[in-house]
Amino acid sequence: MKKINLTDEQIKQAKDVLSKFKDYDAFSASKNNAYSFTKIICVKVCPYCNINYIYTVFSEDGDAVLRPDIDHYFCKSKYKKYQLCLYNLIPSCMPCNERLKGSENFMKTPYLHPYFHDFHSIMRFSVSLNKTTDYLDEDNIEIFFVSKSNSAPLVVRAKNNIKIFKLVERYQYHKDQVVDLFKKSKYYWKAKRDEISRLFSKNSDTSTTLHSYLPLESILFSEKDCDINQVSLGKLKKDIINYYCLRKNTK
């Protein structure tokens, strides 16, 4: 959901791996090279959904154990000349790649591309209440997306991503995460956090040092500045924290 920003060195290494092969089947069959490729890209969470972890794992002996699916943004059977193009190979989770996207023609319908577009800057999570004002009741909460961008074409692409990867439906199963953040916000409002911080500063040298380097807000809402591509549900938590828990939060 956050744009994948590759360094020049990552790009060089990934292209070096891919250059050894004439087609994707040969590359995929070469287990160590496919694993090396996903390790180089180094995205821990699926860039399409930000729900499932997609680690590249090797055993202590160096044997390949587990890697992400590699999605072809443009279907490899329809666009064979792109089958080994770096920017057509997206490390992703199985639900997004096989179950939801499948062979959908992304050349025909505009979607966001994880290497070129930043979903995070285009859309954000929001919540609404169904029946009552009780925001600590999971059954009373609905999770959805609202636009952050003024670019209509990018918003259209983002909405297409939301639709094909069933993001609204899937995120309803993570309402508990939203409620947990709301509980922290309710019981540790800003004045309360300031009060606790003052107590820390008046106590021992150890407490003062702890407070100096680890503000209470960062302890309670650790995902507020997280790297979305490295944290499962990082986008959801970051948006809820910054747009609800910490925004004008005086009580």
Side-chain angles (χ1 to χ4, degrees):
M1 286 195 171
K2 185 73 175 173
K3 179 181 175 182
I4 300 174
N5 289 308
L6 300 178
T7 66
D8 290 343
E9 182 60 25
Q10 283 177 297
I11 293 171
K12 179 182 180 302
Q13 290 179 6
K15 287 184 175 180
D16 284 347
V17 171
L18 296 173
S19 67
K20 300 175 183 178
F21 304 94
K22 293 183 178 180
D23 58 56
Y24 181 80
D25 288 340
F27 163 72
S28 182
S30 175
K31 192 173 183 180
N32 286 336
N33 283 283
Y35 274 70
S36 295
F37 175 81
T38 57
K39 184 177 181 180
I40 290 167
I41 301 303
C42 195
V43 176
K44 289 184 180 179
V45 186
C46 177
Y48 288 133
C49 67
N50 195 232
I51 295 173
N52 298 310
Y53 279 111
I54 52 170
Y55 301 119
T56 300
V57 181
F58 292 88
S59 71
E60 292 182 358
D61 297 328
D63 296 328
V65 175
L66 184 70
R67 70 164 173 84
D69 278 13
I70 301 177
D71 170 54
H72 282 80
Y73 186 83
F74 298 128
C75 182
K76 68 178 183 292
S77 63
K78 294 185 176 71
Y79 307 99
K80 293 184 179 181
K81 66 179 180 178
Y82 298 135
Q83 62 180 299
L84 280 180
C85 173
L86 166 60
Y87 297 107
N88 196 35
L89 302 175
I90 315 295
S92 57
C93 68
M94 183 182 292
C96 284
N97 180 33
E98 294 187 13
R99 304 294 176 82
L100 297 172
K101 180 175 180 287
S103 58
E104 178 75 13
N105 190 347
F106 270 32
M107 187 74 83
K108 183 177 180 181
T109 303
Y111 294 88
L112 295 181
H113 191 301
Y115 288 120
F116 303 124
H117 302 118
D118 185 25
F119 184 98
H120 179 60
S121 66
I122 300 167
M123 307 294 288
R124 72 169 174 86
F125 281 101
S126 187
V127 296
S128 63
L129 301 178
N130 288 331
K131 299 177 181 178
T132 71
T133 59
D134 186 1
Y135 58 90
L136 300 184
D137 179 3
E138 289 182 32
D139 295 332
N140 196 43
I141 289 178
E142 290 296 323
I143 299 173
F144 61 100
F145 292 91
V146 295
S147 170
K148 292 169 60 177
S149 173
N150 293 323
S151 171
L154 286 179
V155 171
V156 169
R157 285 175 178 266
K159 288 182 177 179
N160 287 337
N161 276 55
I162 291 168
K163 182 177 180 180
I164 193 170
F165 295 114
K166 306 299 181 187
L167 297 181
V168 172
E169 294 88 345
R170 292 166 74 184
Y171 270 91
Q172 304 312 315
Y173 290 94
H174 299 287
K175 296 177 185 179
D176 60 318
Q177 302 295 320
V178 175
V179 170
D180 283 347
L181 291 171
F182 283 168
K183 285 180 179 177
K184 291 180 182 179
S185 181
K186 176 180 174 63
Y187 298 119
Y188 294 95
W189 66 90
K190 187 177 185 304
K192 188 67 173 178
R193 295 199 303 270
D194 290 345
E195 178 185 353
I196 295 173
S197 295
R198 285 194 297 271
L199 289 174
F200 269 119
S201 65
K202 291 178 181 179
N203 279 326
S204 66
D205 292 339
T206 302
S207 296
T208 303
T209 302
L210 174 65
H211 171 65
S212 299
Y213 290 98
L214 198 59
L216 182 62
E217 188 173 280
S218 296
I219 298 173
L220 293 171
F221 304 107
S222 59
E223 295 88 0
K224 70 184 184 72
D225 297 313
C226 73
D227 182 345
I228 290 170
N229 286 339
Q230 306 299 319
V231 179
S232 173
L233 304 177
K235 165 70 172 168
L236 173 67
K237 294 177 181 180
K238 191 168 188 172
D239 284 351
I240 297 301
I241 289 170
N242 288 299
Y243 282 89
Y244 292 94
C245 299
L246 298 181
R247 188 176 229 183
K248 296 180 182 178
N249 183 359
T250 58
K251 185 172 182 180

